[in-house]
Amino acid sequence: MVSGINASTKRWVVGITGASGAIYGVTLCRQLLNAGFHLHLVVSEAGWRVLKEELGWNVTNRLECINKAFDSAQAEGRMTYHPLGDIGASIASGSFRCEGMAIVPCSMGSLSAIANGASTNLLTRAADVMLKEGRPLLLVPRETPLNAIHLENMLKLARLGVRIIPAMPAFYNGPQTLDDVVDFIVGKTMDGMGIEHNLYRRWGHPNE
């Protein structure tokens, strides 16, 4: 549930890259669709590989795969899938109105490209648009261990106002399943997006 706004008029851009943790991005997309947002999705080539390897998706027909994974949201007009190479897509322009963008998970390669202004594909161009237009940009990096280059790139983006939300699960909420762990990370991402949810129990609220 989204509080205080008409979600049906709101758009979020979501990017899924080749870092491990594709389930985070898929779960976030489903949550946004369930909340009534219009979703604009772009997936990197490595992201498609991870969707295949980690979730068992048949990615031969990508549009068909998207419709199957998200209950025909694309066919019903609740979602727009943008191919990575479509640099002329709506989300590549600052005139496109949206609430912001989340890249979940975000590989170190994509993070580096964004930090250094290398808009070589639609995903990194859309992120660059968020920066130049002053819109929210949230990254969920997933890598371990981190080297100095990774840390410096994240610090650079954080200083520009980008929300860095590492995929670091908490355990105070007593997770019992892998879904609980995933929901915590997605919930923290949605907190950063300003979207209400009930994906995890908050500290100090044992009955919620």
Side-chain angles (χ1 to χ4, degrees):
M1 177 180 180
V2 179
S3 176
I5 60 176
N6 181 1
S8 65
T9 66
K10 305 294 183 178
R11 307 183 187 98
W12 273 96
V13 181
V14 174
I16 297 177
T17 72
S20 182
I23 187 62
Y24 297 131
V26 171
T27 301
L28 175 63
C29 289
R30 288 172 176 161
Q31 288 294 320
L32 292 176
L33 289 169
N34 289 340
F37 288 92
H38 187 101
L39 174 66
H40 286 258
L41 177 66
V42 57
V43 182
S44 73
E45 289 300 320
W48 280 111
R49 175 65 182 269
V50 176
L51 287 166
K52 176 184 177 182
E53 298 294 338
E54 293 188 349
L55 302 183
W57 285 17
N58 181 352
V59 300
T60 303
N61 185 324
R62 294 179 177 182
L63 189 56
E64 181 179 305
C65 184
I66 289 293
N67 272 316
K68 182 178 180 180
F70 300 110
D71 299 322
S72 299
Q74 165 84 8
E76 294 171 1
R78 297 183 293 118
M79 172 183 180
T80 303
Y81 165 66
H82 300 280
L84 185 68
D86 187 8
I87 204 67
S90 58
I91 61 174
S93 172
S95 64
F96 175 76
R97 301 294 297 274
C98 67
E99 299 305 296
M101 180 178 186
I103 303 178
V104 188
C106 185
S107 68
M108 291 300 106
S110 293
L111 192 147
S112 175
I114 296 164
N116 292 283
S119 302
T120 56
N121 58 48
L122 180 59
L123 189 148
T124 52
R125 168 58 186 173
D128 190 60
V129 166
M130 301 302 144
L131 289 173
K132 79 183 186 72
E133 298 295 331
R135 295 175 186 149
L137 176 61
L138 303 92
L139 307 182
V140 177
R142 218 304 314 169
E143 185 62 270
T144 189
L146 296 167
N147 65 37
I149 295 173
H150 301 154
L151 294 168
E152 287 172 357
N153 284 334
M154 282 189 269
L155 178 59
K156 183 177 182 179
L157 289 170
R159 284 174 170 162
L160 292 172
V162 177
R163 295 294 299 274
I164 306 295
I165 306 171
M168 298 177 179
F171 295 93
Y172 62 78
N173 55 329
Q176 300 297 308
T177 67
L178 184 57
D179 285 343
D180 292 338
V181 175
V182 171
D183 285 349
F184 179 83
I185 300 301
V186 174
K188 293 294 287 186
T189 304
M190 293 178 71
D191 286 348
M193 299 164 82
I195 302 172
E196 290 191 10
H197 63 85
N198 295 303
L199 287 174
Y200 67 89
R201 178 177 62 82
R202 299 182 184 279
W203 181 255
H205 297 273
N207 297 320
E208 294 182 12

